[in-house]
Amino acid sequence: MPHLDPFTVPEFHLPFENSKDPGADRANAEATAWAVERGLIEAEASEQFAGIGFGHLAARVDRGAPYERLLLLAQWMAWSFVLDDQHDLLIRAGRVDDWQPLSDAMARHVSGAPADPAPAGPAPAKAAGPAPANAAGDPARANPLVASFAELCDRILAGMSPLIQARYRRHVPRMLRSLDEEAANRRPGHRPAVEEYVLTRRHSSQLLPMMDMVEADQGVEVPDGADAAPELRELLWSAVDVISWGNDVFSLPKEYSCGDTNNLAALLADWHGLTLPDAVRAVEGRIRDRVEEFLAASRALPAALDALGVTDPAARTAVRHRVRCYEEWMAGTDLWQRHDCTRYRDERFAAGLEAAYTRPDLVSVA
């Protein structure tokens, strides 16, 4: 990777409004306490974990949701940061094979499939927090990371319509597979193509399941016919790209420090011989272009729906609300990273070390 010269995070072109739900502080504190209770983080460093600001991010993208749903989103976000850190730890420790049983157990749970038969031998110790369904038949489900996933997943699905449930059940396994793709990208000597990385990043961002949650909380139910429209799908990818690429800039020092090339700025620098400051400016230009594409697609959407025969007023209102949600996500994540989140300013992370709250033994805990 090129030398990490100092750079300034640009003010990205994001002409969207955003405000924060008043439940942000409470949700952040209660989601932190939940993560400690479930054994996901070290209690002694819970204040540092709370500094990630997942409750604030939830409050920026799910404003006006019932508090219990806002808290659930904050808890899912807290869990997702633990997931990301644990996966990174396994890659750096050369223990990626330990990830697969956990990933498989989570994919089975969200699909509603029964657990694998229990192997011969003593039963695993009980994990912290409520045991998930079928945990006795699948040792991986006793792991705190999987047990807390199953708890959250059941609560999330219970608050969704069948239509959104189906999308969430598709998006979570795809998200898990994308982590395998990112692990493969970090093989010695391997350098993914930029466009290959962009496709993986759309899922490893973990945004799609969270967007499903927000739509359920906000009462946004886009029918399948409109959901599959290429124009609306491109709006989704524009929003996800803008969010992911902006995060790549904020997280660049952390990822650079541990040799992680799953970062758009790092890849542009590597492929095109740019300094990292120049690569950051290139990412800024890509974000500007993607936002302009989003705005143009938004203006063209009514005509596209006409052409598809989507004339039902409720469906068209749902589509408009979805587009507004995308705008909230783009502006909200940027503001969260600038004002509510200490994760990417953490000196330990920037030095390539694990966060103080990370449990090195979490994946091996029975």
Side-chain angles (χ1 to χ4, degrees), residues 108-330:
R108 282 193 298 271
H109 187 89
V110 74
S111 73
D116 288 346
K126 185 176 180 180
N134 297 322
D138 188 342
R141 295 199 184 196
N143 182 279
L145 193 63
V146 182
S148 54
F149 165 83
E151 174 200 343
L152 292 174
C153 183
D154 291 347
R155 290 163 56 200
I156 288 166
L157 289 167
M160 289 177 165
S161 69
L163 184 71
I164 302 180
Q165 281 183 357
R167 293 170 189 163
Y168 176 84
R169 290 184 191 275
R170 289 196 305 270
H171 290 153
V172 170
R174 181 64 186 89
M175 174 196 83
L176 295 170
R177 290 198 305 276
S178 71
L179 298 181
D180 296 332
E181 294 166 9
E182 287 205 338
N185 287 345
R186 292 172 68 174
R187 298 190 307 270
H190 183 74
R191 178 178 62 170
V194 170
E195 293 312 313
E196 173 191 350
Y197 165 72
V198 166
L199 295 177
T200 293
R201 186 74 167 98
R202 288 175 175 178
H203 299 282
S204 67
S205 66
Q206 305 191 44
L207 286 167
L208 297 191
M210 290 189 278
M211 287 179 166
D212 294 333
M213 294 177 66
V214 169
E215 289 193 9
D217 294 349
Q218 299 292 329
V220 177
E221 188 150 332
V222 176
D224 281 336
D227 180 68
E231 294 83 1
L232 190 54
R233 186 88 348 202
E234 188 55 31
L235 275 168
L236 165 65
W237 296 136
S238 293
V240 170
D241 288 348
V242 167
I243 296 164
S244 301
W245 300 348
N247 178 257
D248 280 359
V249 172
F250 281 99
S251 64
L252 180 57
K254 170 185 179 292
E255 285 153 8
Y256 177 91
S257 68
C258 58
D260 185 358
T261 57
N262 288 294
N263 183 292
L264 181 59
L267 284 173
L268 289 174
D270 203 18
W271 279 106
H272 299 293
L274 303 175
T275 65
L276 283 179
D278 284 344
V280 167
R281 284 188 284 273
V283 173
E284 180 186 11
R286 286 187 172 226
I287 288 174
R288 173 174 290 277
D289 291 345
R290 211 67 174 109
V291 168
E292 289 302 320
E293 290 165 2
F294 178 92
L295 294 171
S298 296
R299 292 190 294 269
L301 192 55
L305 294 176
D306 289 341
L308 288 168
V310 180
T311 59
D312 177 55
R316 294 177 75 104
T317 297
V319 168
R320 286 196 300 272
H321 286 175
R322 173 181 281 186
V323 173
R324 177 59 189 146
C325 284
Y326 291 160
E327 294 173 357
E328 294 270 4
W329 271 103
M330 286 186 281

